[in-house]
Amino acid sequence: MMDDLPLLEVVDLSVTFSSREGEVFAVDKVSFSLFPNEVLGVVGESGSGKSVTSLSILRVLPASSRIANGSIFFRDEGRTIELANVDSESEPVRSVRGRRISMIFQEPMSAFSPLHTIGNQIGEAIALHNLPPGLSRSQRKLEVRKQTIDLLASVGMPTPEQLIDSYPHELSGGMRQRALIAMGLACHPSILIADEPTTALDVTLQSQVIALLSRLRSEQEMSIIFITHNLGVIAEIADRVLVMYLGREMETASVDDLFHNPKHPYTRALIRSMPTIAGTLDTLIPIEGTVPSPNNLPTGCRFQTRCPERVDGLCNVHEPVSIEIEPGHRVACFLSGSPVPQGGTND
Amino acid sequence: MGRHIVRRLAAMIPVLFMISVLTFVVIQLPPGDFVDSYVKQQRAAQVKISPQEEASLRARYGVDEPLPTQYFRWMGGILHGDLGYSLALDQPVNEIVKSRLPYTVTIGVLSTLLLYAIAIPIGILSATRQYSKADYFFSVFGFLAMGVPDFILAVLFLWGFYKLTGDITVGLMDPQYVSEPFSLAKGANIISHLWFPALIAASTGTAATIRLLRANLLDELGKPYVTVALAKGVPRRRVIYKYPARMSMNPFIVSAAGLLAALVSGEVILSITLGLPTLAPIFLQSLKNQDSELAGSIVLILSALTVIGILLSDILLAVVDPRIRGSV
Ligand SMILES: Nc1ncnc2c1ncn2[C@@H]1O[C@H](COP(=O)(O)OP(=O)(O)OP(=O)(O)O)[C@@H](O)[C@H]1O
Ligand SMILES: [Mg+2]
């Protein structure tokens, strides 16, 4: 798998929001790759920039934000498309968005317009990208409806013929989440970005959705970027993991390395704080302190204010850059060998 | 839905009844009555009125009867379609209303249509191009329109009209239509005369509506469902019209209900300035004269229009919003 060329390469991506205090970095020089048929897990506490990274790939960032730096390369159908340095409404972006790369959003209630049926909203993507040419108007309508019903059935909706005409508020949370997944899958994308697709669900539904995504991934030859707070879910579904904190990448590793050989103190703290991984409740240790505000970042390493292994005079002065400590395992920490800049302070 | 409408219509009746009682009482609250103010006016105009004449006037107009008697006499008539008699104008209220209400409604409907036709595209433009040159231009323009009183605009309009035509009366229609029966051509001619007064009447509301729509739409544009629609690959323009623009219309459907009544009360100065034969100036006069049956009838008509407007906007809201449809 690692021998293939990556499907998606994000290089030094930075995204800023303009606020009253000036430009705030929501994502700061993040790099990662996604390989064909791979599930990349992305973890990190709230505010670490997971959603903003995904929105950048699709170029649907909020109006107050912009890509300040970096490139995004997408290899598709024999060509490489750069997505970060072109207009968000340009042809390359339009040819990819929703068709080759699609996204399942975080909140199933607010992700649907309350004024349109779910069939209408799911069918919209199909009508745009997934119809054979040369159909008449009425044939198109029938085809869209047929595909939508099949799609709803494939995500485990019990009575898709009826549910297709319901409005979001008429569905239960679980059904709405499934409808949202169906919308993301409408056009058989080559990359699916799933932003916490299970957070709103109870445990049973959660594992059903994960099983569903795993199945679809092997059936459809799809790569998935799976964003979550939940390391337990990562252990179940991911091949590789990217750990983010306050807009920076902290560690990238295969799922085995991440759990058995975690290098970054933040990763270790995350693992200790997960009930399902830590085993019993006594061994569960929450991460001390709270995430600092992105408007007021700590000096040096972003995690240093909460890091149990901080080296004073180093970690609170310089910001470590990510280095590859072994093939496929990257860490941004002085304790793992990030180079210490000589003289002066890092930016 | 049908039952809901019937229920709402039934609920209108006590509301209108209470409004009519209130109006009637409030009009009589100031000291004196119609005959007092009539006699005072006549004396001011140097017309001699003897106490005997005054007494016979009082008897004829029944102003000394107890208030409930006066009220029920008026109400009894209304139930038979007779709105009573205007003492001041010496005319049945029915006739006054029949000749003036059409102009009021024409200006009202015309300015409502103009208001939306202008405000909706500009509001959408301002919100989708926030802080652009166009946004700033319309913001400044809008604050001016909100700040400058209607009668100043009316006076400016009259001046321009005079400069262009040498005529000082705007008129409702061209002379050749005056004695003709109503026809499409006559209607079109009236509209061509009234559209500018209607525009002036709508100016404040238009500016306010642009601000409101802009704020609503900016709010909606930040909602996740917009990002989701964009992420599906739907072109931005289509996303805006299909989702957030439609969502931000709901508050206007609600506010449209009171619009006609608000326009009539806002029309007073405009109509006086431009000499338009609408209900508004007569309404003002009837309040000054304590001409109860005329004033009461106008208030009642406006209230009925408002209540019906609210009902219509409720129905319309249920038509466009499935969440409301489910709950009625
Ligand atoms: N619309 C916005 N306006 C201003 N700042 C924003 C906006 N959206 C995100 N941010 C900022 O970007 C940073 C990253 O946010 P993001 O939503 O990507 O975090 P996340 O990792 O997805 O968190 P969560 O787990 O809560 O979903 C946050 O610090 C946040 O303050
Ligand atoms: Mg998020």
Side-chain angles (χ1 to χ4, degrees), chain B residues 123-303:
Chain B
I124 291 178
L125 182 85
S126 289
T128 50
R129 309 252 168 87
Q130 195 189 6
Y131 304 136
S132 67
K133 284 205 183 85
D135 184 25
Y136 282 120
F137 173 78
F138 286 119
S139 293
V140 170
F141 199 75
F143 284 125
L144 276 178
M146 268 200 275
V148 178
D150 288 357
F151 72 90
I152 302 236
L153 293 178
V155 170
L156 281 175
F157 164 64
L158 266 188
W159 176 76
F161 186 80
Y162 173 73
K163 282 281 167 200
L164 280 176
T165 63
D167 198 349
I168 192 65
T169 44
V170 177
L172 285 173
M173 57 196 99
D174 289 335
Q176 72 264 31
Y177 289 106
V178 175
S179 52
E180 267 190 30
F182 193 83
S183 65
L184 231 54
K186 180 171 173 173
N189 192 260
I190 292 178
I191 288 177
S192 76
H193 277 253
L194 283 188
W195 75 268
F196 209 89
L199 187 65
I200 295 174
S203 64
T204 309
T206 305
T209 305
I210 291 173
R211 299 311 298 169
L212 194 65
L213 178 58
R214 179 180 180 274
N216 282 347
L217 189 52
L218 279 176
D219 220 39
E220 292 296 328
L221 284 174
K223 296 263 174 81
Y225 70 86
V226 176
T227 312
V228 172
L230 287 173
K232 269 188 281 187
V234 184
R236 179 170 282 273
R237 182 180 284 263
R238 205 195 311 168
V239 169
I240 289 172
Y241 283 97
K242 180 171 177 187
Y243 299 107
R246 205 183 132 185
M247 279 289 261
S248 55
M249 285 306 143
N250 286 8
F252 296 109
I253 296 174
V254 176
S255 66
L259 217 56
L260 195 56
L263 278 166
V264 172
S265 40
E267 228 175 46
V268 177
I269 296 178
L270 178 73
S271 295
I272 293 174
T273 320
L274 293 180
L276 299 174
T278 64
L279 274 182
I282 288 289
F283 181 42
L284 181 67
Q285 211 182 316
S286 69
L287 289 176
K288 283 202 311 212
N289 292 334
Q290 301 200 34
D291 195 353
S292 344
E293 297 193 351
L294 178 56
S297 299
I298 294 178
V299 171
L300 207 54
I301 290 170
L302 294 187
S303 313

Side-chain angles (χ1 to χ4, degrees), chain A residues 50-52 106 195-196 227 229:
Chain A
K50 308 182 295 290
S51 298
V52 170
Q106 211 165 341
D195 192 352
E196 312 204 21
I227 298 173
H229 284 230

